[in-house]
Amino acid sequence: MTAQPDVATADADRRGTPPFRYTAALASDIEARWQDRWEAEQTFSTPNPEGPLSDGETLDPAEKYYLMDMFPYPSGAGLHVGHPLGFIGTDVLGRFMRMTGRTVLHTMGFDAFGLPAEQYAVQTGTHPRATTEANIERYRAQIRRLGLAHDKRRSVSTTDIEFYRWTQWIFLQIHGSWFDTEIGRARPIAELEAEFAAGTRSLPDGRAWSELTRPEQDRTLDGYRLAYLDDAPVNWCPALGTVLSNEEVTADGRSERGNFPVFRRQLRQWMMRITAYADRLADDLDGVDWPDSVKSMQRNWIGRSQGASVRFRESVSGQDIEVFTTRPDTLFGATYLVLAPEHPLVDAIVPSAWPSPGGEAALDGRWTGGADSPTAAIAGYRSVVASRSDLERQEARDKTGVFTGAWAVNPVNGEELPVFVADYVLMGYGTGAIMAVPGQDQRDWDFASVFGLPIRRTVQPPEDFDGEAYVGAGAAINSANSEISLNGLGVDEAKAAIIGWLAGRGDGEAVVQYKLRDWLFSRQRYWGEPFPVAYAADGESDGGPSIPRALPESDLPVLLPDVDEYAPKTFAPDDRDSAPESPLARATEWTSFSEDLASDPERAWARYVRETNTMPQWAGSCWYHLRYLDPTNTERFVDPDVERFWLGPRPEVFGPDDPGGVDLYVGGVEHAVLHLLYARFWQKVLFDLGYVSASEPFRRLFNQGYIQAWAYTDSRGVYVPAEEVVEEPGGGFTWNGEPVSREYGKMGKSLRNVVTPDEMCATYGADTFRLYEMSTGPMEASRPWSTRDVVGSQRFLQRVWRLMVDENNGSLRVADAGEPSQETLRLLHRTIDGVRADFPAMHYNTAAAKLIELANHLTKTYPEGGLHRSVAEPLVLMLSPLCPHLAEELWSMLGHPQSLAYAPFPVADEALLVEESVEYPIQVNGKVRSRITVPASASEDEVRAAALAEEKVVELLEGAEPRKVIVVPGRLVNIVK
RNA sequence: GCCCCCGUAGUCCAACCGGCAGAGACAGCGGAUUCAAAAUCCGUCCAGUGUGGGUUCGAAUCCCACCGGGGGCACCA
C-alpha cells in the first residue's frame, strides 16, 4: 500500500509543497481509511470469556485489563479540545497494553439523562430523547475522528431502554434489601420478614409479628429497606422545581446547577440508606489505589467521628437531654447546654415563666432576649433564625441564642447547668444538642463571652499558651468527683475512663457519629428513570400514608410515558413555601393502572398509581461499568462469570485484601464525592446480595488534569474571540488593534475561547492533535491550550514520515540491507527501554520526547534516506499508541498486511543499554571541576584512582591528601578537600 | 480558620532512590530554500530551580518557616 497521491497532489498544487508530504490532507486521508478498516475488521472488539461476545477462545484472566473513562454527558455544544484529554490518554495506554499481550476492554458510553435536554425540551417542545440521541451521534462522530480503540459493541447510554430497565431492576434489589447491622451487610428483606414471623428477631416495640395488621407489617419492613420513603428535611429548589441531594447543594446553600436558592423543607421523598454503609465506605478506601486527595474528600464527606453520648436530666420536666461530644474527657468543664432551635425537646422543657428570682440571681437581660416568658423568648428567637437564609446564618458568626428557662444536671458533679437554644448548634448533626465546654472549645468560648457564662479549664494548657479555648493535648485538671478522677490523665486516657464511668451508671456511652446523610434519590423531573413502584389508588386500609409497592420484575422496563409538558412546575427562586410537582404526575393515562401485585394478595387486580418522581442523574453512572461487560444480556444485568473475569478480586496480584474492580478508571476530580461515593454504595449492595464478586467498583482511580484556556476582554469587559487576539512584541495583547486584558480559566462559549477537536483534526489531522495533547505535560497536570504550539507535533510526524517515505514520489525509503551504526542501535534501545516504562506510567510527554529525540537523530544520520528496517519498524511500533493511524500506514507500507494493533511492542536488548565507557564529572567540594572518561567496567577503586590522577584535580589538591573521596558508580566522583 | 496539591528558561514541560539543572515542544535570534512569502529544513540564545533557614561531601529533590497559585472542607460538637 502507498499513500494516496490524489489528495496529496491537490494539496501540493495549492501550497507548492512536495506531493507526498505528511500534511493535514494526507493525514486525514490516512486516518479515514484506517478508521474504516478498524471498524470493518472489528479490530478492537474485545472477547468475553463466554456468552454472546465470546469468540470461543480461552482467555487468560491474568492478562485482562479493564480500562474505563468517566463517560460524558452528551451536551449540545459537542466536545472541545479539553474533553478528549483523558479519552486519548486511556486510548494510548490501552493500545500499549494490547501490544504487550493484554486483553484490553475499553469502550465509551453516555450519561444521557439530565437537565439540559429536558430544559431544551421545555423551551422547544422537542422530545428529550430526540435531542439526546442527536447529541450522542455528534459525540460518536467526534470520538471516532480521534481514532480511539473502543469496542463499539459495548457502548451503552443510560437512556437506552435496555439499560434503564436494569437500573430499575437494581433499584428493586436495593428496595428489596435491608442492612443487617449485626453482620454489617445487606440481606434480602424477605429474610427479615421471616425472622420477624418466626420470632427469631423481635420487633422494636416488642409486639408479635402476627399481631400487626398488614399495613403495619409493611410499614415496619419499609423502616428497614435500603430504599425508603421518608418525610425528611430535604433541599427544595423552587427555581428548578425539584429537590436536590446534599451533595448537589453548595456550601453557601445554593444549587450546584444554576446557583439558585435552596430551602430546607419537610417533604416525602425517596431516600437511599447509604449511611448504613458509612463505615465500609470509609474503611474500604484503604484497599483501593486512588489519589489521596479523593480519598480524603470522601473520608471528609463521610465525616466519621468517635465520641460519646451523654445524658443530662432536666431538673423540672425530668426529660433526658442527650448530647453528642467528641471530648467526653472535658465533661467537668461543661458550664451550659445548647439545643438546636429546631430540637423537639425544646417545647417539652420550656417552663411557662422565667425561674423565680428568689431561687436564682436576677436573670441577665442577655439571656432572656428581653422577653416576658421563656416561651416568648424562644418563639422570638426561632422566628429570627428561620428568617435567615443558610448563607446569612453561615456568614454571621456572631453567637446568638436565648435561655430556655430550663436547667439540667451534669452527671459527673450534680451541677445545674442552664440550657440555651442557639443556632450554632445544628439539628442535622449528632443529637442536635451539645454540652458547652468554653475552656476547650472556641465556639463555646465565644458564646460564653457573649452571655456571661462561666469558663472552666479542664485541660492544662502549656505555659506559653495565651489563646482563649485550649483545644490541644494536655493533662486533665479540675476533673474529679468522689468516684472518679481524671486529673493528670492525657486526653485519650481520660476519654476512655469517663466513658467507662458514664456507661456504668447508664448516663452515657461511646458513640460514633457521621456527617454523611442518607441519599435523597427522587427528583421532580421528566428526563430520568421512572421508579418501578406504585401505590394503592384508594389508599391504605388503616388510613395511614401510602405504602410503596415494588412492581414485579416482569413489569420491567417501566417506560417513560410521552407527556405534553416536560417541565416540573417551577416557582420564583425565593418561594420557599412552594411544593414540588413532577411532570409525570400529569400523564394520567400512564400513572393509573390495575395489576395483581404478588406482594399483596389481598389486593389482587386493584387500582394503583405510579410513582411520578424519577431517579437522579447519578443512578445510571452507579453501575455502567457492569453493563459494559455484558451489554447484550437480556436475562441479567451482567453474567456472573463475565463479571468475575473482568472485575473479580485478584489476590495473587494485588494482595489478600484486593476488592477487585475496574483496573483503571480515569476522569476529572470533580466527581470525587458524588458519583464515586454513590457508585461504591451500589456496588457494595450488589456485592452483599451476591450479584457481583467485586466489593469496590474501581480498583484504581486516576484524575487527569484539565485543559484550560486564555480568554480576553476588551475595555468594556466584553469577551472577544480569543483566536483573533494577537500578542504584541513588547508584551500585552490586542484585538483589532485595541488592547485587551487576558484571563485564564475554562474553555467555554461565553468566554469565546472554544477550540474544537474537529478544527484541530481538519488543520493538522487526528494523530497530530493526539500527540500534541499527550506531549504538553503529564496526564495529571492541568495546562493551557495553545493552538500555535500544535505545529511542533506536526513537524515531528512529518520528519518521521520523511524518514521512511519519499515526499516527491511516495516510495518507501527504508533499506533492508546493511546494519545501523552502534550509536544508532544504542539510542534505539535506550528509547525502547525508556518508552516501555513511560507508557504504563502514563508519562506520555516524556515518551513522546524520547521518540522525537530518536527521530531527530535518525534525520541527521540518514539525510539521503536508507533508514534501516531494523530501526524503522520499532520506531513505528513505539509511535503507534500515540499516533495509531500514521503508524498503521507506515507499518502497512513496510509490508505488513495485518494491523499493528496486536503486534508485539519492541523489547530493549539489555546488552545495548550498557555503555562501553562512562564519563564521570569530578567535583571538588561539590563543584564540578573536571571530567574523566573510564571504561564502563572500571571498578570503584579504578575510578577513584583515575579521578585523583587527573591533572586539574592534582592542581587543586596542591599535594594535600583529600579528606574524603565519594564515588557514585556511573554518576560522579566528589572529592572533599 | 483547617486539610491536600503545586511553584524549574519568555511559555508548556524533563531531570529515576539526594549525584553534571535540560529530554522534548513553542516563541525569539541567525542561516538554507524562494523572485518574494508561506511551508519546510539546519543552527543557536535563554534559568541555577518562589523566598529564607537547616540536614548532607553533595539538595530542584529531604526537613522547618514564609510567600504565591490551585483545590477541598468549614459553627460537624
Side-chain angles (χ1 to χ4, degrees):
Chain A
M1 192 182 291
T2 57
Q4 300 289 296
D6 49 335
V7 189
T9 313
D11 192 62
D13 286 347
R14 195 173 59 247
R15 315 252 308 261
T17 50
F20 291 89
R21 173 160 292 170
Y22 183 76
T23 58
L26 181 58
S28 297
D29 173 63
I30 291 171
E31 286 161 8
R33 275 190 288 114
W34 281 98
Q35 284 156 16
D36 289 346
R37 183 165 160 191
W38 292 329
E39 188 162 289
E41 295 183 358
Q42 296 263 305
T43 306
F44 302 110
S45 289
T46 307
N48 270 351
E50 56 189 82
L53 298 189
S54 165
D55 60 4
E57 306 280 320
T58 305
L59 297 179
D60 181 357
E63 295 298 336
K64 69 94 189 179
Y65 194 80
Y66 187 8
L67 179 61
M68 231 177 110
D69 302 275
M70 289 186 188
F71 64 171
Y73 174 79
S75 82
L79 295 172
H80 65 60
V81 291
H83 294 117
L85 183 73
F87 303 164
I88 297 170
T90 49
D91 184 59
V92 173
L93 183 65
R95 286 177 179 273
F96 172 78
M97 291 288 202
R98 258 180 222 105
M99 296 176 77
T100 56
R102 310 293 289 269
T103 305
V104 176
L105 173 47
H106 191 200
T107 188
M108 178 163 294
F110 297 94
D111 188 17
F113 278 123
L115 268 179
E118 182 174 305
Q119 282 167 341
Y120 187 72
V122 170
Q123 288 159 20
T124 64
T126 314
H127 197 290
R129 179 169 295 282
T131 312
T132 302
E133 288 179 355
N135 289 347
I136 288 174
E137 279 321 299
R138 167 111 191 269
Y139 266 63
R140 285 196 203 281
Q142 287 187 301
I143 289 168
R144 186 179 193 275
R145 183 68 187 87
L146 299 175
L148 303 179
H150 292 159
D151 183 346
K152 297 192 170 76
R153 304 170 306 166
R154 297 176 185 266
S155 177
V156 295
S157 301
T158 53
T159 48
D160 294 343
I161 289 164
E162 265 311 298
F163 186 92
Y164 79 67
R165 168 221 171 96
W166 293 108
T167 308
Q168 291 171 336
W169 181 86
I170 293 170
F171 175 86
L172 288 180
Q173 309 315 307
I174 297 171
H175 180 254
S177 308
W178 62 293
F179 193 83
D180 186 340
T181 51
E182 284 168 30
I183 56 173
R185 63 175 184 84
R187 298 170 60 191
I189 197 88
E191 295 180 12
L192 178 66
E193 184 171 7
E195 289 183 14
F196 282 143
T200 51
R201 179 179 294 266
S202 49
L203 285 160
D205 62 5
R207 285 194 290 170
W209 186 248
S210 55
E211 289 173 28
L212 271 58
T213 64
R214 181 65 197 224
E216 283 173 332
Q217 290 178 346
D218 285 341
R219 290 208 175 87
T220 303
L221 293 178
D222 282 357
Y224 286 83
R225 292 178 189 274
L226 291 179
Y228 63 100
L229 276 174
D230 194 27
D231 276 308
V234 298
N235 307 298
W236 165 237
C237 180
L240 291 174
T242 186
V243 296
L244 299 169
S245 74
N246 292 334
E247 292 83 350
E248 290 168 314
V249 179
T250 59
D252 51 358
R254 300 177 79 89
S255 60
E256 194 165 69
R257 185 181 282 275
N259 199 34
F260 297 114
V262 170
F263 301 98
R264 283 262 161 204
R265 289 226 23 208
Q266 292 278 132
L267 288 171
R268 192 162 168 81
Q269 295 289 324
W270 279 101
M271 307 292 290
M272 289 256 171
R273 208 178 298 278
I274 192 172
T275 51
Y277 283 86
D279 276 322
R280 278 166 64 187
L281 289 170
D283 293 341
D284 291 358
L285 287 170
D286 294 335
V288 292
D289 180 7
W290 285 19
D292 286 341
S293 60
V294 176
K295 287 188 182 187
S296 96
M297 278 187 252
Q298 292 219 346
R299 286 205 182 93
N300 202 305
W301 189 261
I302 294 164
R304 177 164 56 188
S305 61
Q306 312 273 350
S309 173
V310 183
R311 281 173 288 279
F312 291 71
R313 175 144 306 172
E314 203 278 317
S315 309
V316 177
S317 65
Q319 293 273 1
D320 275 338
I321 298 172
E322 186 156 356
V323 306
F324 173 70
T325 176
T326 55
R327 293 295 302 275
D329 59 300
T330 63
L331 189 47
F332 285 93
T335 55
Y336 61 104
L337 300 187
V338 184
L339 303 186
E342 310 88 342
H343 199 291
L345 221 49
V346 172
D347 295 322
I349 60 170
V350 173
S352 53
W354 293 118
S356 120
E360 304 290 336
L363 280 176
D364 196 317
R366 292 174 295 187
W367 287 28
T368 61
D372 295 338
S373 71
T375 329
I378 291 192
Y381 184 67
R382 279 178 169 165
S383 75
V384 169
V385 169
S387 71
R388 294 203 296 171
S389 71
D390 284 0
L391 184 59
E392 289 167 335
R393 188 164 163 172
Q394 190 179 316
E395 279 177 346
R397 295 235 163 172
D398 302 337
K399 294 289 178 289
T400 61
V402 70
F403 179 46
T404 60
W407 300 79
V409 178
N410 187 339
V412 290
N413 54 15
E415 260 181 58
E416 290 217 325
L417 307 179
V419 181
F420 283 75
V421 287
D423 69 349
Y424 83 96
V425 172
L426 310 172
M427 193 59 225
Y429 186 75
T431 59
I434 63 157
M435 63 176 208
V437 187
Q440 273 81 228
D441 185 296
Q442 189 60 42
R443 294 157 300 181
D444 297 343
W445 179 292
D446 294 341
F447 187 88
S449 307
V450 173
F451 287 84
L453 288 153
I455 293 168
R456 185 189 309 147
R457 289 198 192 279
T458 55
V459 177
Q460 182 65 55
E463 275 180 26
D464 59 353
F465 180 76
D466 63 352
E468 299 180 334
Y470 176 68
V471 298
I477 52 173
N478 302 325
S479 297
N481 61 26
S482 57
E483 294 176 29
I484 185 169
S485 172
L486 307 179
N487 291 336
L489 298 182
V491 171
D492 290 338
E493 299 163 294
K495 281 181 184 175
I498 195 69
I499 288 172
W501 186 82
L502 288 167
R505 294 167 41 101
D507 286 330
E509 58 273 321
V511 158
V512 182
Q513 275 291 336
Y514 304 89
K515 277 197 274 183
L516 182 69
R517 306 283 83 164
D518 275 346
W519 175 17
L520 174 68
F521 194 70
S522 42
R523 300 289 185 279
Q524 290 73 47
R525 317 253 33 135
Y526 173 76
W527 194 225
E529 299 89 344
F531 282 83
V533 164
Y535 306 89
D538 54 357
E540 304 303 331
S541 55
D542 63 355
S546 295
I547 296 168
R549 288 176 172 75
L551 298 178
E553 283 181 30
S554 56
D555 275 19
L556 301 184
V558 177
L559 298 175
L560 265 178
D562 282 325
V563 294
D564 298 326
E565 179 62 58
Y566 297 106
K569 195 168 177 187
T570 56
F571 305 87
D574 53 355
D575 185 1
R576 65 173 67 220
D577 297 321
S578 47
E581 186 184 300
S582 170
L584 292 186
R586 296 191 288 264
T588 48
E589 292 285 306
W590 175 81
T591 55
S592 180
F593 67 107
S594 283
E595 185 154 335
D596 185 5
L597 290 182
S599 63
D600 191 354
E602 293 169 20
R603 290 176 170 272
W605 295 103
R607 294 295 298 172
Y608 288 94
V609 286
R610 292 186 193 279
E611 170 64 61
T612 57
N613 286 308
T614 52
M615 299 187 200
Q617 192 178 357
W618 312 105
S621 58
C622 280
W623 76 282
Y624 73 115
H625 59 289
L626 297 167
R627 193 61 182 173
Y628 281 165
L629 302 179
D630 203 8
T632 59
N633 197 327
T634 54
E635 303 300 313
R636 295 168 169 273
F637 71 110
V638 62
D639 178 87
D641 291 333
V642 170
E643 187 274 337
R644 194 174 311 111
F645 175 80
W646 289 109
L647 291 177
R650 297 168 68 199
E652 69 283 4
V653 183
F654 298 103
D657 298 324
D658 179 40
V662 173
D663 292 289
L664 179 66
Y665 191 35
V666 176
V669 73
E670 72 271 18
H671 292 112
V673 174
L674 293 147
H675 158 57
L676 289 169
L677 195 67
Y678 297 151
R680 294 180 64 216
F681 165 53
W682 277 34
Q683 182 83 23
K684 287 181 186 303
V685 177
L686 292 170
F687 173 79
D688 286 354
L689 298 176
Y691 292 116
V692 296
S693 66
S695 58
E696 285 285 335
F698 314 114
R699 176 190 287 118
R700 182 174 173 214
L701 176 73
F702 185 91
N703 293 128
Q704 98 252 343
Y706 296 101
I707 288 187
Q708 295 184 295
W710 301 105
Y712 303 86
T713 50
D714 64 16
S715 54
R716 297 167 300 164
V718 175
Y719 287 98
V720 302
E723 61 184 34
E724 296 168 13
V725 169
V726 291
E727 183 169 6
E728 295 302 318
F733 300 87
T734 57
W735 178 66
N736 289 345
E738 297 294 315
V740 289
S741 45
R742 188 167 82 149
E743 58 185 65
Y744 183 57
K746 285 183 174 167
M747 207 171 256
K749 227 178 190 173
S750 59
L751 303 184
R752 305 195 71 176
N753 61 354
V754 171
V755 181
T756 65
D758 314 60
E759 296 166 53
M760 288 301 109
C761 289
T763 316
Y764 298 101
D767 281 334
T768 296
F769 172 65
R770 290 170 58 110
L771 181 67
Y772 170 71
E773 291 230 329
M774 293 301 102
S775 55
T776 47
M779 276 298 282
E780 63 272 23
S782 291
R783 53 211 117 132
W785 176 263
S786 175
T787 297
R788 75 176 185 187
D789 291 1
V790 180
V791 70
S793 296
Q794 189 183 34
R795 285 181 194 147
F796 161 62
L797 295 184
Q798 284 178 338
R799 286 201 292 280
V800 171
W801 177 258
R802 195 179 300 118
L803 267 171
M804 301 187 205
V805 181
D806 189 306
E807 287 190 317
N808 292 307
N809 60 26
S811 65
L812 201 63
R813 303 173 78 203
V814 170
D816 287 311
E819 281 294 317
S821 68
Q822 274 292 303
E823 188 195 1
T824 297
L825 274 180
R826 286 184 185 284
L827 177 59
L828 171 67
H829 284 264
R830 273 208 310 277
T831 307
I832 294 171
D833 188 54
V835 299
R836 257 198 178 259
D838 288 341
F839 277 125
M842 289 185 276
H843 294 165
Y844 307 135
N845 54 331
T846 54
K850 290 179 176 91
L851 294 173
I852 292 168
E853 196 181 359
L854 174 63
N856 290 351
H857 167 84
L858 296 176
T859 299
K860 267 175 232 163
T861 310
Y862 298 92
E864 306 303 324
L867 172 65
H868 294 91
R869 176 176 289 270
S870 58
V871 180
E873 292 197 340
L875 172 58
V876 167
L877 292 172
M878 287 190 285
L879 184 61
S880 70
L882 291 161
C883 303
H885 312 87
L886 173 63
E888 288 271 26
E889 185 73 5
L890 291 171
W891 188 244
S892 163
M893 291 172 76
L894 284 163
H896 301 278
Q898 297 289 319
S899 163
L900 52 58
Y902 297 89
F905 200 86
V907 180
D909 181 346
E910 291 291 332
L912 288 167
L913 297 177
V914 187
E915 295 294 337
E916 285 167 345
S917 63
V918 186
E919 188 188 62
Y920 281 86
I922 302 171
Q923 294 182 340
V924 177
N925 287 346
K927 289 212 160 64
V928 178
R929 296 296 188 184
S930 183
R931 289 165 197 283
I932 53 168
T933 301
V934 297
S937 58
S939 71
E940 226 173 280
D941 287 341
E942 286 166 335
V943 175
R944 176 180 292 119
L948 289 172
E950 205 278 333
E951 204 179 324
K952 269 220 187 94
V953 174
V954 171
E955 197 180 307
L956 280 161
L957 283 175
E958 297 166 324
E961 193 66 17
R963 275 175 41 203
K964 202 171 179 182
V965 179
I966 297 132
V967 179
V968 184
R971 290 288 187 178
L972 56 52
V973 180
N974 189 13
I975 295 165
V976 187
K977 250 169 90 174

